[in-house]
Every structure is written in C-alpha cells, then in structure tokens.
C-alpha cells in the first residue's frame, strides 16, 4: 500500500523537479508512518481478493452464465483438460460456432471488467482516501 501510493504520487503532478522520490515520500507519509494503511477500505480488500485468489472463479462464473445464456458448452476446466476430446460428438452448426466464438470473447472481457471495476474503485479509495470515495 505505501509503495502503491508512492507510485501514484510519483506519477502525478504533485511532484516536480529534483528529488521527486523524497517529495512523494513526504506527501505519502505526511500524516505519519501508518497513513497509507488508513486508506484501505472494503473495496481494497475485495479487489485484492479478486486479483489474487478468485479471478479464475469469476471467469468460470462468467463462462458458465454465458454458456447457459447462449446455449453452448462451457470451456473445459481442471480434469476435463486431461481427457481426450469426444470424437462421437456431433459437429457444431455454424450458428453454434458463432455463439461459442462470441462466448469465448465475452467471458474474459466480462470477468476482466468485473475485476477492473472493483480494483479501480479500490485504487481511487487508496489514493484519495476512504472519506472522499466512501
């Protein structure tokens, strides 16, 4: 968190000239050594949870929801990846191929949007403070 805040301040117009790193450190730690940690809110915790442990699950939920909505098969996961493809399955119709291709594009796009929206709010909260973006 302090490093993230330091990086955001360094990339902003709040510092200029020589000694930008020390200027940014003074801004980040102006209210004490624990100041950067006081800007961590619920959105930050949800963002870290999504980023580091659940992003695959969010993708699977999006994939399964879109598969049901579009009437196509889910992308294979886990043990399914180690099995041979089913040679006896009927070939996909052009309509089904188009829906499956659309789903393959939409599933990562949708899951990335979900993760990004939560993460962006958390970043803004950490930068501007919880009281300004609560």
């Amino acid at each position: 968190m302090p490093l993230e805040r330091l990086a955001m301040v360094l990339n902003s117009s709040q510092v200029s000239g020589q000694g930008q790193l020390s200027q940014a450190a003074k801004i980040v730690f102006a209210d004490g050594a624990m100041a950067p940690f006081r800007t961590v809110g619920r959105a930050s915790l949800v963002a870290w949870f999504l980023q580091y442990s659940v992003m695959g699950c969010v993708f699977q939920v999006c994939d399964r929801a879109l598969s049901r909505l579009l009437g196509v098969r889910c992308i294979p996961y886990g043990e399914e990846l180690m099995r041979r493809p089913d040679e006896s399955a009927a070939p996909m119709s052009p309509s089904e191929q188009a829906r499956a291709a659309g789903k393959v594009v939409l599933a990562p796009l949708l899951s990335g949007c979900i993760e990004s929206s939560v993460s962006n709010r958390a970043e803004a909260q950490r930068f501007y403070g919880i009281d300004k973006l609560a």
Side-chain angles (χ1 to χ4, degrees):
M1 291 155 284
L3 288 177
E4 290 171 344
R5 180 102 193 255
L6 190 65
M8 285 190 281
V9 171
L10 276 169
N11 290 322
S12 73
S13 62
Q14 297 177 8
V15 296
S16 62
Q18 289 186 314
Q20 291 185 10
L21 184 59
S22 62
Q23 291 176 33
K26 286 178 187 174
I27 292 169
V28 170
F29 296 104
D31 295 328
M34 297 303 286
F37 295 98
R38 281 187 232 123
T39 60
V40 176
R42 287 177 292 198
S44 295
L45 298 175
V46 171
W48 289 328
F49 185 66
L50 284 176
Q51 276 181 317
Y52 298 116
S53 63
V54 183
M55 198 54 212
C57 179
V58 172
F59 174 79
Q60 286 185 19
V61 167
C62 292
D63 176 51
R64 291 178 195 280
L66 288 170
S67 293
R68 283 194 187 118
L69 181 71
L70 298 173
V72 295
R73 293 185 310 162
C74 290
I75 292 174
Y77 303 103
E79 187 180 311
E80 286 181 89
L81 293 172
M82 301 304 154
R83 292 189 207 136
R84 290 187 168 270
D86 186 12
E87 300 293 333
S88 64
M92 294 172 72
S93 68
S95 168
E96 192 176 4
Q97 287 178 358
R99 289 189 317 246
K103 188 209 56 160
V104 167
V105 170
L106 286 175
L109 185 68
L110 183 59
S111 62
C113 286
I114 291 169
E115 192 272 338
S116 291
S117 65
V118 173
S119 294
N120 290 342
R121 178 166 174 77
E123 290 291 330
Q125 268 188 354
R126 288 194 296 270
F127 185 73
Y128 295 111
I130 293 173
D131 54 331
K132 292 181 183 167
L133 274 117

